[in-house]
Amino acid sequence: MKNSRKVWLRKRLKTILIFLLVLGLLLVGLATYTVRQSFPQESGTIQLPELKAEVTVQRDKWGIPHIYAANSHDLFMAQGYIHAQDRFWQMDFWRHIGSGRLAEMFGSSQIDTDKYLRTMGWARVAQQEIPEINAEMKAYLKAYADGVNAYLAEHQGSALSLEYTVLKFLNPGYQPEPWQILHSLTWGKVMAYDLGRNFQSEIERAILLKTLTPNQVEELFPPYPQDLPVILSELQQEKGVGEARGGRNNNVEVIIHSPDILPALESITKPMMALEQLIGPTGIGIGSNNWVISGQRTATGKPILANDPHLGVQIPSIWYEVGLHCTPKSAECPYNVSGFSFAGMIGVIIGHSDRIAWGVTNVQSDVMDLYIEKINPKNPNQYEFNGKWVDMQLVQETIQVAGSQPIGQTVRYTRHGPILSDVSPNLKQFQSSQPLELPQNYAVALRWTALAPSKLGYAIPQINRAQNWQEFRTAASNYDVPAQNLVYADIDGNIGYQMPGKFPIRAQGDGRYPVPGWTDEYEWQGYIDFEKLPKSFNPSQGYIATANNLVNREYPYLITADWVYGYRAKRIVEMISQQTQPISLKDVQRIQGDDRNLNAQALVPILQSITVDTPHLQAAQKLLQDWNLQLGMTSPAAALFEVFWKHLLADTFHDQLPEKYFPNGGDRWYAVVANLVKQPNSSWWDNRNTPKVENRDQILRQSFAKAVDELERIQSKDQKNWNWGKLHTVTFRNATLGKSGVAPIEALFNRGAFATAGNGETVNANRWRANKSFEVTDIPSLRMIVDLGNLDNSVAIHTPGQSGHAFHSHYNDMVDPWRQIEYHQMLWEQKTVVNNTAATLKLVPKLRK
């Protein structure tokens, strides 16, 4: 009986185990199917409606498509189709940001962000641009949209992307709508915001005046240092160009000191921070490098052009590498170009054609001004201008909310722009004894160049087909928002620089503080004429380098009063100008990967001169003495210095600044501290929270000891085991579901953490925030080096990978080469592409029934 029972139990157990195994395999199979069903078809044949002729798409081993088409319509239609194949979730998300429609996807948590975005009104501006687009551009954008929609017609839900499988649990009714021209145009506005937002600095300066003197505030925003380089040492400018630069006006500070206005300014920053969670760190501090070297300095005898834009960490990559080739190139189809595009937009943003190459860095121009508007206490929809009450423009908005009722919103406009303070919470949080109630009598409006129709959409295809410097400049004249430093090279050996953009000419002031809106004394009087903007062609020094730094000390017009301080630029210029041998592509790669810390170069000698009285502090001092100043991943000294820098900023400034404005450790703070170390008894060194008065050396010694203690605690008692890369890691997070707070969901889409080198001010700019953590927040999002002597020798890398599909082989396969400063070949000639093709897809016209 017992034996038969045992046999029965064994059989039962075996049956259960087999069932569980089969169930497990089915679940794994289902999961694998769910994940893989959205992967793009990369070979074979696909029929597309509206296609005019066959298009060939050859994908290389990195997943990069090279598209060959017989006409412009098919070229851009195929680009739209391929973008949708690899990145539709990203495109869908971006268009919802651009139109302020995030709550449609993600529910009530995004209502406040949508209100902020609707107040900005990017979709309204883009809608105004559409009637102004010429027939050719409209046809391109329509073809692109047709390509996206051809993909959507055959793919829905989890067949589009794994994210839609997860979204179905959160928002079962969501269905992506067809792609429109509007959706491509709004992305330009998002990028302008991402690269702009200089009004953050206006708000910061204004709020700091509440507790600091004007002189102290200026010490925290020092002028551009004399020992740092400018972009153009020779200003090639027409004679007679000149204009009053504008200046500070004491009346501005009187307004800012009004206690009623500060809550409004402080509250504006809250929705900005919510948006930053979605699109990554933005505005001041986000930079880029580009440079071009003439053939007179290169080993090839032809120019070499390099570019690495710095943007917020994200997955998938903000960039999509692609080749767009007309076969044959003709007047109707004049494109033969390769480089980096944005999923959602036609053309190549950064790259090269068969004739020219170009790269971009952000000017970080001051093109946003905050205006304090006086509101009629008897009518909140009127504001004062030159002594008269003027009606506001009122725009009614309806925000659709997943799983809830729609929300109504009224956007109020003054002549300056939308009233931002309407979408900022907590405006009434000040004492009732104050004579003015802010929401009734005051408001804060934003004037910004991106809130008027722009021509950026024209600029991209025009640059893509430009054949020479003159055509490139003509195209650049439409590159109005966001303003960029464009570097140029061509196969004939020419190099050049052009700053395009819309830069306001102010009647008064320099844009550094909010100004009165009730008078015409602070109005914009137009924009700087394109022909008067900085440019250079074949300068005698044989190179041009930009890193968001000052363009020229003598340029007569105001671009900004807050240039990025040129520490990256200084290092780039040093490495180019000090090279005694002709410069090779390998040399340029070394420049892009350079981790030398110029802040350490200034501070280490002072640290070495300070007496420390314990063996482990003395050993740490010796560590710095033998250091090459490179912030290498495995460097103990790099870890020590960066942790010291964090503590130095905290010990020096946290006692006097609001927490929101604690130093982030970037280029501005390099300049601030460089000035302060020359003043050993400055009041900034004194800690207000202690009875004694500290000086520079005491604070440096204290911060150094804290850094050593922290590293011993978190890494090792043995200083040789300290490691910068283990502290300074990058995690690529999906901008939506990767920040859901649900660990299993985040694990599906996020990748990391990965050790990295450098910091935000090394040429290899992996920025961390001293007021947050050592985690990397923004990075060289791509690196490109173009050899104008042989385009097939050009190299590039972006990160984390080409695909937007989690678990695809190209989802994060570029992370390791990217962080090791390695590259892949930018395949160019068709025979080179063929020799490196991993899959070939034919797109063919759909046969009519």
Side-chain angles (χ1 to χ4, degrees), residues 678-719:
K678 299 170 187 172
Q679 308 168 56
N681 296 307
S682 165
S683 61
W684 285 108
W685 297 116
D686 177 38
N687 184 349
R688 303 284 178 88
N689 299 324
T690 65
K692 64 178 183 178
V693 176
E694 289 86 358
N695 62 23
R696 179 196 71 183
D697 290 0
Q698 288 169 315
I699 294 297
L700 262 64
R701 185 181 296 111
Q702 172 184 308
S703 302
F704 189 67
K706 285 182 178 180
V708 172
D709 289 344
E710 180 173 347
L711 283 166
E712 287 184 341
R713 186 178 73 254
I714 65 175
Q715 287 203 341
S716 175
K717 293 286 186 184
D718 186 344
Q719 296 178 1

Side-chain angles (χ1 to χ4, degrees), residues 98-120:
S99 294
R101 295 171 55 189
L102 290 166
E104 288 181 20
M105 292 183 80
F106 304 109
S108 57
S109 65
Q110 297 303 318
I111 290 173
D112 287 345
T113 305
D114 277 355
K115 285 183 176 180
Y116 180 64
L117 292 168
R118 297 289 182 98
T119 300
M120 283 286 188

Side-chain angles (χ1 to χ4, degrees), residues 703-760:
S703 302
F704 189 67
K706 285 182 178 180
V708 172
D709 289 344
E710 180 173 347
L711 283 166
E712 287 184 341
R713 186 178 73 254
I714 65 175
Q715 287 203 341
S716 175
K717 293 286 186 184
D718 186 344
Q719 296 178 1
K720 293 194 296 293
N721 294 329
W722 293 349
N723 182 296
W724 176 226
K726 287 181 180 177
L727 282 178
H728 185 237
T729 62
V730 60
T731 298
F732 295 93
R733 291 183 176 86
N734 184 292
T736 52
L737 301 177
K739 298 177 182 178
S740 65
V742 181
I745 294 177
E746 291 184 356
L748 287 174
F749 301 107
N750 298 346
R751 298 294 182 270
F754 303 97
T756 61
N759 72 10

